[in-house]
Amino acid sequence: MTLSKEVEYKAPPAQLASTSIPTKDMDYSYSLEQMNGGVFKSVEPPKRSTGRLIMHSMAMFGREFCYAVEAAYVTPVLLSVGLPKSLYSLVWLISPILGFILQPVVGSASDHCRSRWGRRRPYILSLGILMVLGMTLYLNGDTAVSAIFNSAAEKRTWAIVITMLGVVVFDFAADFIDGPIKAYLFDVCSHHDKERGLHYHALFTGLGGALGYVTGAIDWGSTILGRLMGSEFQVMFFFSSSIFLIFLAIHLCSIPEVPLEDEIMETKLLLKHDEQNGYGSIEKAQNGYLKGKGRKKSSPMEEHDSEDTEVQVQKRMTIKSLIRALLTMPTHYRYLCLSHLIGWTAFLSNMLFFTDFMGQIVYNGNPYAEHNSTAYLVYERGVEVGCWGMCINAISSSLYSYLQKILLPYIGLKGLYFTGYLLFGLGTGLIGLFPNVYSTLVLCSLFGVMSSTLYTVPFNLIAEYHREEECDSQLDGKTPPDNRGKGIDCAALTCMVQLAQIIVGVGLGFLVSLAGSVVVIVVSASTVSLIGCCFVAVFVRYVE
């Protein structure tokens, strides 16, 4: 056997020379495993420090801070510009519908992105810019329109259009950005660091939401900043956009990505090893790259064939093939997506209407009464207390994300998944049965358990599934299929959030009008969550 010229030859050490070389009668796979680096053994990413993982989680902090600002200010902004009630549902349905349709497309596109900056970061940066653009439009659109137009009718029309556009763009980008962030984490971290990273994501998601709700609860209009900037809307835009952009920059600089072309080249070199290289002729792979001298250049014919193959792969990634990839995904992936849909449907049913429930049921207020009446003022007080309940939810989510790391060795992912759904179902059920102010605020802490569970456990399972597939492909000597990657799997999972928003937006209004009371909201959330308990216990597969 001749030695390959693609890598530098190194003489075997004396100790190795004195040992017996495996003969042809021995198991060939065994001899390959003895080689330094193994032919089919994937190069494990290096261990990431806690500081790097925290930097990577900063994007989730900024994203959730902006979400909290939207929850606190979008309704007042929409009311202030005169949006008709008939268009409310349209505002909240456009973004999830677009997200449900386009999320897998973005996920697949990021799987095949050939930017020298990496596969995920270009998409994360683009979606982050869209988030800031959306906040700019819905928090500053009314002020900009008032400065441009003189006619009151034109001002009202354009203010409604720009505000609606801003809300849709923001929701669209904020929902989309979660998938590439998770796929970015999976690409650059080892299996152990993926679990740590997801826990830090949940921790900083809760902290960002808590700070956002607290900041939104302050009456900035009467402060010096409010007077300098014109209104509390401009103050909140300054805080939210500044925090998000700073933390997004930290996130993008946290962990470098290996460009897709380098990964493809490395894989080709590893797979060619069996045909071209002799025992002991390959250097150890360091930091995801193969080092060698005197590497032989491929012939023009080989390069042409390689380019043709890559073009064929890109052509196969059409919308039709993408939908086929989603429909033909393994059963355990499909069940995981369905459990995620059930969980988010229950969670959003409660969270989107919780402040209204506090105002009408807990405080016995009336949102349709005259604005100077006692009934309406009591309702507003209930909404304010409901915002503090949301803050309790965010804080408990952060605390529980840390507690998850302690519980995981004892009850496993199945126990964490089941516990999150069970506690949320029991908590919302008790709130519906006993609508008391103090007990409701205490039970808001259980919402954080569900929130942390939804942000971590399903993605942990995705990481486990991918790890299992990689191990199986290494044992079989095969490469994973081209039509599915980490990006599209994460996107398929986050698609369930948009689908849950559609279901909640269309279905809950009908249920409330049918029942005549918003109590049906928490009852529905409790019922769906308890159904989810049974589903995650019976149908979701957990890797041993």
Side-chain angles (χ1 to χ4, degrees):
M1 178 184 291
T2 59
L3 292 172
S4 170
K5 295 181 180 179
E6 292 187 7
V7 293
E8 180 185 12
Y9 172 78
K10 277 194 173 184
Q15 183 178 0
L16 180 62
S18 64
T19 60
S20 59
I21 303 298
T23 63
K24 293 182 179 180
D25 295 334
M26 296 178 63
D27 184 11
Y28 187 61
S29 63
Y30 173 81
S31 65
L32 289 177
E33 290 177 357
Q34 305 308 309
M35 296 169 59
N36 193 10
V39 173
F40 297 110
K41 184 183 296 183
S42 61
V43 179
E44 183 81 355
K47 178 178 174 58
R48 305 300 180 184
S49 65
T50 300
R52 291 286 181 178
L53 294 177
I54 290 176
M55 289 172 64
H56 195 278
S57 305
M58 289 292 100
M60 300 303 295
F61 184 100
R63 171 179 175 264
E64 203 63 22
F65 184 94
C66 295
Y67 258 142
V69 170
E70 184 197 33
Y73 281 90
V74 162
T75 300
V77 169
L78 292 174
L79 291 174
S80 66
V81 298
L83 181 71
K85 291 183 178 180
S86 58
L87 294 180
Y88 276 4
S89 59
L90 181 62
V91 172
W92 298 115
L93 285 177
I94 291 176
S95 176
I97 289 173
L98 289 175
F100 181 72
I101 295 173
L102 298 178
Q103 184 87 278
V105 178
V106 173
S108 176
S110 70
D111 280 335
H112 296 82
C113 177
R114 293 181 175 274
S115 169
R116 295 301 303 173
W117 203 34
R119 286 188 288 176
R120 317 298 178 185
R121 288 187 290 178
Y123 286 89
I124 294 172
L125 177 61
S126 301
L127 293 169
I129 293 173
L130 283 179
M131 282 181 62
V132 176
L133 176 62
M135 286 190 294
T136 304
L137 292 177
Y138 81 75
L139 288 174
N140 301 286
D142 189 24
T143 304
V145 167
S146 299
I148 296 174
F149 297 98
N150 295 321
S151 171
E154 287 184 337
K155 285 182 181 179
R156 182 174 181 273
T157 301
W158 280 104
I160 291 174
V161 170
I162 290 177
T163 303
M164 287 181 62
L165 180 62
V167 173
V168 170
V169 170
F170 174 82
D171 278 341
F172 175 84
D175 290 341
F176 262 53
I177 202 171
D178 187 52
I181 287 175
K182 293 294 191 299
Y184 176 20
L185 177 72
F186 290 175
D187 287 343
V188 298
C189 290
S190 63
H191 183 73
H192 177 66
D193 287 341
K194 290 174 189 176
E195 294 181 351
R196 294 172 59 213
L198 287 172
H199 287 302
Y200 283 125
H201 278 201
L203 172 65
F204 284 95
T205 295
L207 291 176
L211 182 61
Y213 285 119
V214 170
T215 307
I218 299 174
D219 183 13
W220 293 104
S222 58
T223 63
I224 297 177
L225 283 176
R227 289 191 290 270
L228 286 175
M229 297 186 180
S231 73
E232 59 183 349
F233 296 155
Q234 278 71 51
V235 175
M236 288 310 301
F237 170 73
F238 170 76
F239 279 126
S240 56
S241 59
S242 300
I243 288 175
F244 177 72
L245 288 174
I246 292 171
F247 286 173
L248 180 66
I250 294 173
H251 166 79
L252 293 174
C253 298
S254 60
I255 305 174
E257 289 186 87
V258 178
L260 180 61
E261 291 183 355
D262 293 342
E263 289 186 1
I264 294 174
M265 180 61 67
E266 177 182 336
T267 303
K268 289 178 180 178
L269 290 174
L270 285 172
L271 293 177
K272 286 180 180 179
H273 175 276
D274 180 38
E275 299 177 0
Q276 297 181 355
N277 300 327
Y279 181 79
S281 64
I282 229 175
E283 287 191 1
K284 184 177 181 180
Q286 297 178 349
N287 299 325
Y289 295 96
L290 287 175
K291 305 294 182 182
K293 294 181 180 180
R295 182 170 293 165
K296 181 181 177 181
K297 295 183 178 180
S298 302
S299 64
M301 185 64 69
E302 290 175 344
E303 292 180 355
H304 179 72
D305 292 341
S306 175
E307 291 175 359
D308 288 345
T309 302
E310 293 169 4
V311 170
Q312 290 173 7
V313 170
Q314 291 296 327
K315 286 182 178 179
R316 287 200 300 269
M317 292 311 300
T318 60
I319 298 295
K320 182 178 179 181
S321 64
L322 185 57
I323 295 174
R324 188 185 304 117
L326 293 173
L327 295 177
T328 58
M329 65 168 44
T331 305
H332 52 282
Y333 279 95
R334 195 177 300 116
Y335 282 151
L336 181 61
C337 288
L338 189 54
S339 70
H340 205 51
L341 173 63
I342 294 172
W344 273 104
T345 301
F347 187 70
L348 292 175
S349 297
N350 184 69
M351 301 307 289
L352 292 180
F353 299 92
F354 180 71
T355 54
D356 185 56
F357 172 81
M358 288 288 292
Q360 290 196 54
I361 304 302
V362 178
Y363 274 80
N364 297 313
N366 184 5
Y368 304 106
E370 295 293 332
H371 284 199
N372 58 353
S373 65
T374 303
Y376 185 81
L377 295 176
V378 169
Y379 173 80
E380 280 195 329
R381 175 58 181 166
V383 171
E384 291 174 1
V385 175
C387 289
W388 284 109
M390 302 289 282
C391 183
I392 293 173
N393 153 64
I395 294 173
S396 66
S397 176
S398 296
L399 295 176
Y400 184 71
S401 66
Y402 181 77
L403 184 61
Q404 276 185 330
K405 295 194 293 183
I406 301 174
L407 295 175
L408 183 60
Y410 299 99
I411 63 176
L413 289 175
K414 184 175 184 179
L416 289 176
Y417 214 5
F418 181 84
T419 301
Y421 280 59
L422 178 63
L423 292 179
F424 181 79
L426 293 177
T428 50
L430 290 173
I431 286 174
L433 294 174
F434 308 103
N436 178 269
V437 177
Y438 299 105
S439 63
T440 299
L441 290 177
V442 170
L443 291 171
C444 282
S445 59
L446 299 182
F447 301 167
V449 174
M450 183 64 159
S451 173
S452 180
T453 299
L454 292 173
Y455 278 121
T456 56
V457 176
F459 293 98
N460 263 322
L461 288 173
I462 285 283
E464 293 281 359
Y465 295 162
H466 276 281
R467 183 190 187 190
E468 185 182 52
E469 289 177 356
E470 290 169 0
C471 291
D472 291 342
S473 65
Q474 290 166 19
L475 291 174
D476 297 337
K478 299 177 182 178
T479 56
D482 291 328
N483 61 339
R484 274 186 45 250
K486 296 173 185 176
I488 193 172
D489 285 337
C490 291
L493 200 60
T494 52
C495 267
M496 299 302 103
V497 182
Q498 280 84 44
L499 184 55
Q501 288 180 357
I502 296 170
I503 294 172
V504 170
V506 173
L508 276 189
F510 173 76
L511 287 177
V512 171
S513 61
L514 189 65
S517 172
V518 292
V519 174
V520 71
I521 292 174
V522 292
V523 173
S524 300
S526 176
T527 303
V528 174
S529 183
L530 293 176
I531 292 173
C533 278
C534 303
F535 191 90
V536 300
V538 176
F539 293 101
V540 175
R541 186 169 74 84
Y542 302 89
V543 180
E544 297 295 335

